[in-house]
Amino acid sequence: MNYINLNELRDCAYKTACEHGFHDKELSNEHCLCLVISELMEAVEADRKGKRADRESFKSSYESEDPHYNADFKYSFEKYIKDCVGDELADACIRLFDLCGLRKIDINDFTEEMIYEATESCNGETFTESIYAISTIPVRYEYEYGYSFEKQVKSMLLGIIGLANYIGIDLLWHVNQKMRYNELRPVLNGKKY
């Protein structure tokens, strides 16, 4: 994902969250990080159930940028993509992008070497162990290394990118599909907050 402008994804995620009412009240960093972790736990459950995206069926059913086909996109996304491992990892990234937008964190500084190291760090771990490592970054990195909140958030994002690379998931594709899907959803995506 280093070849794309992560700050553009940050700005888009933040804009969509604002338009959908997710920033109508002030929430703590801990609240926001817990929601990221909840998406990571959903990725664990999707992995345990063997839920993977069916991109071929999605592509044959629907893959168009034409906004006139939003209903077809939504149906196809829900049938072939939603709630799979890649989708849940994308949700976690989108929440982190949104948090970076809210807190004005620049995330365009991941080098190829950093992404390679994050990918290699998953070697020898199960998917669940890698998710655990990513989920505990805020606590571990604050108390063990004294990392700032910004560094904790960026480290989580880098960890997710590395894990997706390690297991062969095209995370950028999933993020783009989910961001489009999120734009079509109701205020608060039908949730309380």
Side-chain angles (χ1 to χ4, degrees):
M1 283 180 62
N2 63 318
Y3 54 89
I4 58 120
N5 187 325
L6 293 176
N7 284 337
E8 285 180 10
L9 291 174
R10 173 201 66 192
D11 295 346
C12 184
Y14 178 62
K15 179 179 179 279
T16 299
C18 288
E19 289 170 350
H20 284 78
F22 285 103
H23 296 302
D24 288 353
K25 68 182 201 176
E26 182 66 29
L27 299 171
S28 69
N29 290 338
E30 293 78 10
H31 179 100
C32 296
L33 288 175
C34 188
L35 294 176
V36 172
I37 292 168
S38 74
E39 300 296 352
L40 293 172
M41 294 307 108
E42 289 177 10
V44 169
E45 288 306 309
D47 181 65
R48 293 179 71 207
K49 294 175 182 174
K51 292 185 81 172
R52 299 289 188 266
D54 184 353
R55 282 182 67 170
E56 288 305 312
S57 295
F58 177 77
K59 191 172 203 146
S60 66
S61 171
Y62 175 86
E63 194 165 340
S64 170
E65 297 299 320
D66 188 339
H68 295 95
Y69 294 100
N70 284 339
D72 290 342
F73 171 82
K74 188 175 183 296
Y75 170 81
S76 297
F77 180 87
E78 289 172 352
K79 184 170 182 177
Y80 300 114
I81 307 297
K82 191 168 180 347
D83 300 329
C84 72
V85 173
D87 182 49
E88 299 300 351
L89 291 177
D91 279 341
C93 285
I94 292 166
R95 285 201 178 271
L96 287 168
F97 292 148
D98 174 41
L99 181 55
C100 289
L102 179 66
R103 301 295 186 239
K104 296 176 179 36
I105 297 172
D106 184 338
I107 52 175
N108 255 354
D109 59 356
F110 294 154
T111 65
E112 284 185 38
E113 181 180 344
M114 292 167 71
I115 293 171
Y116 174 80
E117 288 174 6
T119 302
E120 288 300 303
S121 73
C122 300
N123 196 9
E125 294 182 344
T126 65
F127 180 82
T128 303
E129 289 168 339
S130 291
I131 292 291
Y132 175 81
I134 295 165
S135 298
T136 59
I137 282 173
V139 173
R140 289 186 298 117
Y141 282 26
E142 180 177 357
Y143 294 106
E144 290 179 23
Y145 309 115
Y147 281 12
S148 66
F149 177 73
E150 178 177 326
K151 181 105 173 152
Q152 295 165 38
V153 169
K154 290 165 78 169
S155 296
M156 288 183 81
L157 183 57
L158 185 59
I160 296 167
I161 292 168
L163 176 57
N165 284 346
Y166 185 75
I167 61 176
I169 288 179
D170 183 348
L171 188 57
L172 178 59
W173 184 86
H174 278 281
V175 165
N176 284 327
Q177 302 313 309
K178 190 57 173 260
M179 288 178 94
R180 180 167 181 198
Y181 179 77
N182 285 345
E183 289 173 1
L184 302 172
R185 298 175 84 180
V187 171
L188 294 176
N189 297 347
K191 298 173 187 167
K192 183 178 169 187
Y193 57 86

